[in-house]
Amino acid sequence: MSNLKILVCAKRVVDANVRVRTKDDYSDVEIEHCKMSLNPFDENAIEEAVKLKEKSLVNEIVAVSIGSEKCVDILRVALARGADRAIHVNSIDRLDSITIAKILKKIVQKEQPDIILMGKQAIDDDANQVGQMLAGMLDYPQGTFISKLEIGTNNDVNVTREIENGTETINIQLPAVLTADLHLNEPRFIKLPQLMLAKKKPIESINLDEINITVKDTGRVIKVIDGKITKQCKMLTNIDEIIDVLKQKKVI
Amino acid sequence: MKALVITNKINNKFNPSLLNLFTVIKKIAGNSNYEAKTDVLVIGYELNNIVADIAKYQVVNKVLVIDNPALDHILAENIAHQIAKIVGNYTHVLINADSFGKNLLPRIAGILELGQISEIVSVVSPNIFKKFTYAGNILSEIESFEDIKLLTVRSNNFEQDEILANQSCEIVHLEYTNPVSSKIKFISRNVEDKLVNLDSAKIVVTGGISLESKENFDNIIRQLANKLNAAVGASRAAVEAGFAPNDCQVGQTGTTVAPDVYFAIGISGAVQHIAGMKDSKTVIAINTDSTAPIFEYADYGLIGDLFDIVPKLIQKI
Ligand SMILES: Cc1cc2nc3c(=O)[nH]c(=O)nc-3n(C[C@H](O)[C@H](O)[C@H](O)COP(=O)(O)OP(=O)(O)OC[C@H]3O[C@@H](n4cnc5c(N)ncnc54)[C@H](O)[C@@H]3O)c2cc1C
Ligand SMILES: Nc1ncnc2c1ncn2[C@@H]1O[C@H](COP(=O)(O)O)[C@@H](O)[C@H]1O
């Protein structure tokens, strides 16, 4: 039996079902009144940690979220999903990826988890950076975009990663950073008693200025535009017309 | 400006995205007085042939090579430190946003504590780039403040330029100095050799959950794809249902495609799916529901039952 400790990351993001709009002056997106949720990939990360705990391979799951006070709501969700306790790093929302990674590094140094399990990407900026950055800073091995995780017997894990045209399997010594693909698992529905239980679990709050890092702006959003392109769809009435299109496009 | 492109070997050739990355370099150099020449860093094992091929391109200033058995299957841990030392000589470092580039470049960024801009789709100026956010709902223009701009690139958003291949430039073999990590080991790779790769395909045929079974998916979607010499795509719903493997998934979390022709067959057009195909030049959608959002992104639509339409289409081609 292993007694692993897992740190799971929980980012608060605009819900996947919301269609985000730009502000009138295009300076940024308007998310003030949007429904916010736990990043879907982080749901997979937490689900995996919980499954390992149910198999007695893990004995503690700590969730961490960085951002405004409202991240506490997201941490409650993580606790309801099965994390044992949570850490909220209180800061402005939307720090640069490199700053998030630096903060996580400090949390890792304090908590000493065996596995840092996070999403492969956050669905707001679709950056896909923080896990690899953190691993690089810590000089930990990384298993990115994983769709399968197996705990080994020698303080190691085997992970299957999603790559072009298939998968690859690698063996990693712990401690390590792992990032979840959506295919890792199917997050379960939260039941009411779990939500009640989550209210009793502890959330530690740390202010960003208590963490000794330099925050740097590596860039800025200049403007945003609606990314939606709407086409004039020409409705066809039969298969021959599809054939005509294919001929016209020199496909056949 | 001094640009570095990092690339690897795929199927004994250089990663084909390299030619698109050359276009990006030209765009960064733009109208300014920058010279649109770039250094290319190739990493891997047994690279001699591909190094010679890369050196021919006129846009290449110099090819740097790290050729070592330890890099036969590239693990970021076994090369990131060495590359981190090299990138200090450049203003722009570009890599294709595939599983190789997405895994490697942010690790280097972490080592150097530098910001990175992921999956750029357009170049505004040497400091300003565009990328999609919020599942493609938003196109953001981002300015980098860093002296070294680390960029992953959605290559299929950039054309392959007409680049002359008749020079021969300097080739520098670098000693492999990165320590080989004892903490990570490659075990196996399970990839299917495809006739047409999804991310670079000229034609893509995609099917959704409405195919109802893997058998139908094969008989209808794969058949049509074979007929058209096209790559096969799938919605996440179809992948989850086991109709097609994960690497066929098109969308926010799958592959991003930009083919000449995209067939969306029984696909509703969820934003996460659209995010992966909206740069397709011509989209043909087949769906029973005339109000399906996919028609807003399609150039041609046919309302009807795919089980009726597609087999007839296959016969007529
Ligand atoms: C974080 C996140 C990431 C995601 N990433 C992706 C992604 O990368 N890629 C992706 O595809 N999805 C992704 N999704 C899922 C996405 O939201 C949709 O659920 C999915 O794309 C729907 O797939 P579908 O079109 O096959 O199914 P449905 O939405 O169920 O649509 C089925 C369509 O088939 C039509 N139809 C039914 N029968 C027939 C018939 N006989 N003939 C013709 N038409 C028929 C229906 O009218 C309908 O329009 C993601 C979701 C989340 C939350
Ligand atoms: N503010 C944050 N708080 C907690 N975790 C985060 C935060 N930002 C990013 N992460 C983690 O990093 C992963 C990758 O995010 P990104 O690199 O921004 O796409 C997410 O899925 C989260 O697990």
Side-chain angles (χ1 to χ4, degrees):
Chain A
M1 287 293 125
S2 299
N3 269 323
L4 300 176
K5 175 169 173 179
I6 300 192
L7 183 72
V8 290
C9 297
K11 184 171 185 188
R12 177 175 175 267
V13 296
V14 175
D15 187 86
N17 296 311
V18 173
R19 227 189 93 68
V20 174
R21 293 183 195 287
T22 65
K23 289 186 174 160
D24 289 341
D25 65 357
Y26 303 103
S27 60
D28 208 342
V29 287
E30 181 62 70
I31 58 171
E32 189 101 1
H33 303 291
C34 290
K35 180 181 179 216
M36 304 297 282
S37 295
L38 173 59
N39 184 38
F41 292 87
D42 298 354
E43 287 184 1
N44 296 95
I46 295 171
E47 175 68 24
E48 197 66 14
V50 171
K51 277 166 67 182
L52 294 172
K53 197 175 173 205
E54 286 167 349
K55 290 189 209 155
S56 303
L57 293 166
V58 163
N59 71 357
E60 191 181 27
I61 303 170
V62 183
V64 56
S65 189
I66 303 162
S68 70
E69 288 290 350
K70 292 181 180 142
C71 292
V72 170
D73 302 341
I74 295 306
L75 286 171
R76 291 272 171 229
V77 175
L79 293 168
R81 288 195 166 281
D84 298 297
R85 61 185 172 88
I87 301 169
H88 171 222
V89 178
N90 199 347
S91 73
I92 56 162
D93 284 317
R94 307 178 65 187
L95 290 165
D96 277 356
S97 297
I98 203 77
T99 306
I100 297 287
K102 283 186 196 172
I103 296 167
L104 290 173
K105 179 180 169 182
K106 291 283 178 183
I107 303 289
V108 168
Q109 285 168 341
K110 179 162 162 257
E111 294 285 336
Q112 298 286 323
D114 301 285
I115 298 174
I116 302 104
L117 194 50
M118 45 211 295
K120 78 164 181 182
Q121 78 195 68
I123 61 161
D124 45 9
D125 289 337
D126 283 331
N128 193 335
Q129 300 178 345
V130 173
Q132 299 89 314
M133 285 177 170
L134 175 64
M137 279 180 192
L138 287 164
D139 206 19
Y140 279 11
Q142 67 192 40
T144 52
F145 330 144
I146 65 168
S147 54
K148 198 168 166 202
L149 169 59
E150 281 171 351
I151 307 289
T153 48
N154 279 323
N155 198 34
D156 63 331
V157 293
N158 277 350
V159 299
T160 300
R161 309 180 53 228
E162 295 299 320
I163 60 170
E164 287 73 29
N165 296 344
T167 58
E168 74 179 16
T169 303
I170 52 181
N171 177 270
I172 304 177
Q173 285 296 315
L174 302 180
V177 175
L178 306 179
T179 75
D181 189 273
L182 287 182
H183 301 277
L184 182 60
N185 53 44
E186 184 76 48
R188 66 194 82 178
F189 286 102
I190 314 178
K191 300 197 188 84
L192 191 61
Q194 290 170 294
L195 279 167
M196 302 304 287
L197 196 67
K199 292 202 176 124
K200 298 199 185 104
K201 293 184 181 175
I203 300 181
E204 177 189 354
S205 190
I206 306 174
N207 266 322
L208 180 57
D209 51 27
E210 293 170 52
I211 296 178
N212 188 16
I213 58 155
T214 39
V215 176
K216 91 167 168 183
D217 287 329
T218 65
R220 70 180 176 115
V221 174
I222 295 182
K223 69 171 183 208
V224 295
I225 58 169
D226 194 326
K228 183 169 172 176
I229 38 140
T230 322
K231 292 184 166 180
Q232 278 302 343
C233 184
K234 182 168 190 284
M235 282 302 174
L236 308 175
T237 50
N238 59 54
I239 293 165
D240 289 331
E241 287 180 341
I242 300 188
I243 301 278
D244 289 342
V245 172
L246 295 179
K247 282 186 180 149
Q248 191 199 324
K249 303 287 169 196
K250 302 201 165 55
V251 170
I252 51 174
Chain B
M1 168 186 156
K2 209 169 164 221
L4 178 72
V5 173
I6 304 172
T7 196
N8 60 339
K9 181 172 92 168
I10 297 177
N11 296 333
N12 277 319
K13 301 202 182 78
F14 60 78
N15 189 331
S17 66
L18 182 62
L19 301 182
N20 310 69
L21 293 175
F22 289 156
T23 306
V24 183
I25 300 287
K26 277 198 176 173
K27 297 216 153 143
I28 294 173
N31 304 325
S32 59
N33 295 326
Y34 293 137
E35 201 188 347
K37 282 224 173 196
T38 182
D39 289 357
V40 177
L41 170 63
V42 205
I43 56 175
Y45 182 46
E46 296 186 324
L47 303 175
N48 281 347
N49 289 342
I50 72 162
V51 167
D53 285 343
I54 295 170
K56 286 181 198 153
Y57 287 94
Q58 218 126 59
V59 288
V60 180
N61 175 54
K62 186 156 74 178
V63 188
L64 308 174
V65 188
I66 307 175
D67 189 334
N68 194 281
L71 300 174
D72 192 10
H73 291 283
I74 298 171
L75 298 168
E77 292 76 356
N78 289 340
I79 194 64
H81 279 288
Q82 186 168 0
I83 300 180
K85 288 191 192 117
I86 296 171
V87 304
N89 303 326
Y90 296 91
T91 59
H92 295 79
V93 179
L94 285 76
I95 199 163
N96 187 35
D98 52 19
S99 64
F100 161 70
K102 288 181 186 176
N103 185 53
L104 178 59
L105 198 64
R107 187 174 177 100
I108 295 168
I111 291 169
L112 295 170
E113 300 196 356
L114 285 173
Q116 172 188 305
I117 303 179
S118 293
E119 300 199 42
I120 64 163
V121 294
S122 137
V123 174
V124 179
S125 78
N127 311 324
I128 303 174
F129 308 91
K130 290 186 191 172
K131 83 166 299 261
F132 284 109
T133 55
Y134 296 92
N137 274 326
I138 300 290
L139 184 58
S140 299
E141 216 173 283
I142 298 172
E143 178 182 8
S144 165
F145 299 153
E146 301 283 26
D147 295 333
I148 306 169
K149 283 144 194 78
L150 301 180
L151 307 166
T152 67
V153 178
R154 261 194 201 172
S155 297
N156 52 24
N157 274 77
F158 297 87
E159 301 287 327
Q160 295 195 344
D161 220 333
E162 304 225 342
I163 299 158
L164 301 175
N166 56 9
Q167 67 157 13
S168 94
C169 70
E170 189 187 351
I171 296 172
V172 184
H173 284 267
L174 302 175
E175 197 187 329
Y176 175 56
T177 57
N178 202 99
V180 178
S181 174
S182 59
K183 297 177 193 160
I184 186 157
K185 266 200 279 309
F186 171 81
I187 296 179
S188 62
R189 189 164 284 184
N190 185 359
V191 293
E192 187 193 336
D193 269 335
K194 296 198 175 162
L195 295 173
V196 196
N197 276 330
L198 185 56
D199 56 351
S200 54
K202 292 270 171 250
I203 309 165
V204 174
V205 178
T206 294
I209 188 71
S210 52
L211 268 299
E212 290 171 357
S213 71
K214 179 171 187 313
E215 198 184 359
N216 290 339
F217 193 93
D218 289 346
N219 288 338
I220 294 176
I221 301 300
R222 279 191 196 277
Q223 280 268 7
L224 179 59
N226 288 346
K227 268 263 160 118
L228 296 172
N229 201 10
V232 172
S235 69
R236 175 167 175 229
V239 170
E240 303 275 91
F243 303 171
N246 200 355
D247 57 273
C248 287
Q249 183 174 313
V250 172
Q252 180 190 18
T253 42
T255 303
T256 314
V257 300
D260 293 339
V261 175
Y262 187 88
F263 267 98
I265 299 176
I267 296 274
S268 62
V271 283
Q272 294 90 357
H273 186 83
I274 301 300
M277 51 64 74
K278 63 183 176 163
D279 291 315
S280 306
K281 295 198 185 70
T282 300
V283 175
I284 305 172
I286 299 170
N287 199 305
T288 41
D289 177 5
S290 65
T291 65
I294 189 70
F295 289 120
E296 293 171 38
Y297 304 90
D299 301 270
Y300 299 96
L302 186 55
I303 296 162
D305 187 344
L306 71 92
F307 293 105
D308 173 44
I309 295 167
V310 184
K312 287 185 189 150
L313 180 63
I314 294 171
Q315 265 186 355
K316 286 200 174 186
I317 292 171

